[in-house]
Amino acid sequence: MRRLFVLCSALLVASCAMQMDLPTGFLRLKARESGDVRAVTAGDARIWVRDFAVDEGASLNFWITALRADLEQARGYRLVPKDVPFVDAAGHKGCLIEGTIAVGGEVHGYLVSVLQLDGKHLRVAEFSAREAEFLVHVEAVRTAVTTIR
Amino acid sequence: MRSRWLCWLLMAVLLLGCQVANQAGGQETEMQDAVAAGMVGAVDLPQPGRALEQLAELSDRRGRGKDQEGSNADDDGGADRGDGERMRIYQGNMTVEVARREDAAAQFLSKVRDWGGYLATQQDDQYTLRLPAAHFEDAIAVLRGMGRVLRESRQANDVTDQFFDLGLRLENARKSRERLLVLLAKAEKVEDMLKIEEQLRRLTEEIERFEGQQKMLLDQVAMATIAVRFAVAAASLAQPDGRKSRFLWIRSLGAERMQGGF
């Protein structure tokens, strides 16, 4: 009975864990994950998908605007002005923001997708790499974020 | 007996009257048929003293016919139909900030090709495209949607008067050439022939130049030109204000965070 409970719990956790079809060239770092998704390429491009609990009652547009403001004004990101709306494999509405930032003296590309799961939770997928590596994978990552479920 | 003679006389008069009437009616019918068949015009020969004038008139008519054909060709070009058939040359110049220049350029060029346009020149990040004038505004709208517009200028040059001036000059030149050809046919002295041929050569060059200018105008009216520069969004040089977001989840995001605590 106890084993059955553990098995059911494990299955439940497995079924609730987020999934994403990673693009070719990415290795998933399962040992470092704790309810999130982390993956890297040999060239050190990184994907990180996480869930966040947020204040209740705000729309996706609110969060996107707040994120944009922080990245651009507080941190000096240069963002592409057009956000790209999309829907993930679970039917959640989301939005993609893309930009660049200098980190450690090198220009890095940054792509962040924000999905609204419900009124109190967001799922955020980030992709970042040095510019050259970023350009190699960015289109595949754009496609991959639509497979999040 | 007397009334019998009178009756015969009356019948004879009636028959005679009918015959005269029939002959007159027949002539009228023949004339109407001839007019209908255009035979009257066909036999209207030119007077000897008016031969050159009539040739010039014929040339005029031919020139007008050619012009009408030309204007029909303009209509087919369809550069500007909506505003009283004015002929305008549309040109646009834009600088759009995008994430990746090659992707943006390929995407825009594909759209332009779908519309029947083409890439005219490319120099580094500057692209010049020609596309049917009917899609000029569509192209501008597509570019606006591709990124942040840093610079935009558009112009529509009305060349209607210029085009018709050229048409008139062309018509006059053609008329003069026709006249010279007639004179050349009549010339007897070699010296005269050489002079006329020199004039003809000059006029032919002029006609070709006018035709070339007209053709160029028609092409420019039919196909708009858009010069676009795709600027890549570089890392900001502006100093960030450093104020932290009040939302914790936002503070934990970012390329710099990923490089550090991944």
Side-chain angles (χ1 to χ4, degrees), chain B residues 214-232:
Chain B
Q214 264 197 336
K215 195 177 171 188
M216 193 179 72
L217 276 181
L218 282 174
D219 172 68
Q220 286 180 328
V221 168
M223 299 288 278
T225 304
I226 290 183
V228 58
R229 192 171 80 82
F230 290 110
V232 178

Side-chain angles (χ1 to χ4, degrees), chain A residues 127-140:
Chain A
F127 165 58
S128 175
R130 289 186 191 91
E131 200 171 28
E133 183 76 1
F134 181 83
L135 294 176
V136 171
H137 298 286
V138 65
E139 284 311 318

Side-chain angles (χ1 to χ4, degrees), chain A residues 18-58:
Chain A
M18 68 178 77
Q19 295 291 323
M20 177 185 182
D21 298 337
L22 289 169
T24 309
F26 279 83
L27 171 69
R28 190 160 172 178
L29 305 175
K30 288 187 176 173
R32 296 193 183 190
E33 291 176 355
S34 53
D36 54 355
V37 172
R38 299 180 194 217
V40 293
T41 65
D44 205 26
R46 301 174 183 195
I47 287 178
W48 196 358
V49 190
R50 292 176 278 173
D51 286 348
F52 293 97
V54 292
D55 296 291
E56 195 171 3

